[in-house]
Amino acid sequence: METSERVAGIIAALKQEYPDALCALQYKKDYELMISVRLSAQCTDKRVNMTTPALFERFPDAKAMAAGTVEEIYHLIKSISYPNNKAKHLHEMAQKLERDFQGKVPEDMELLQTLPGVGRKTANVVMAVAFHKLAMPVDTHVFRVSNRLGLANAKDVLQTRLWKLRNSW
């Protein structure tokens, strides 16, 4: 069976099983999505969704978060894994958004990755979900499943992402 036929079958099965599949993180704007994705690293979406309402109430935009303190952010996200580093990165991210991007989340992959704490996976999720751009968020799970299903033939996460983009379905 050709890869394209296998992909079509898998996509059809997934669409049937999950017809309304959406991002599990709860957000209202791209700023909130970016923060939620960053917080979800090594943490469940359920925990992030329980934590972010108070965070977004206190810090509704980058300007508010940049004016806040790391300690305030930490207090609101302390139930999330690695809150010390994440609070520091969120504060630095908000400051850079204000300083370099007038408080707006950039719609560019490279610019997103200049923000503290934003790596390739977070940038790809923001590009795909918030901005509806062609982007392939690949984590360890996507990498493993893609290889097992024969959808990719790669040795690591980056190779999987690049393979999928080169061989778009």
Side-chain angles (χ1 to χ4, degrees), residues 23-26 36-37 39-53 79-81:
C23 178
L25 295 169
Q26 297 169 355
S36 294
V37 173
L39 291 175
S40 72
Q42 297 181 321
C43 187
T44 66
D45 291 350
K46 181 178 179 181
R47 169 59 57 191
V48 172
N49 288 338
M50 290 169 55
T51 304
T52 53
S79 67
I80 298 232
S81 58

Side-chain angles (χ1 to χ4, degrees), residues 19-36:
D20 299 318
L22 297 171
C23 178
L25 295 169
Q26 297 169 355
Y27 67 97
K28 293 181 182 142
K29 48 191 170 183
D30 49 11
Y31 158 81
E32 293 179 359
L33 175 65
M34 184 174 62
I35 289 172
S36 294

Side-chain angles (χ1 to χ4, degrees), residues 58-90:
R58 170 62 184 91
F59 301 112
D61 53 31
K63 184 175 185 174
M65 188 172 281
T69 66
V70 172
E71 291 76 23
E72 286 179 284
I73 298 167
Y74 171 85
H75 177 71
L76 292 166
I77 68 166
K78 63 185 174 186
S79 67
I80 298 232
S81 58
Y82 305 104
N84 290 320
N85 284 336
K86 289 178 182 180
K88 179 178 176 271
H89 286 147
L90 291 180

Side-chain angles (χ1 to χ4, degrees), residues 1 32 39 71 86 97 100 105 114 116 122 162 164:
M1 179 183 293
E32 293 179 359
L39 291 175
E71 291 76 23
K86 289 178 182 180
L97 281 173
D100 298 348
V105 176
T114 67
T122 297
L162 295 174
K164 285 184 176 189

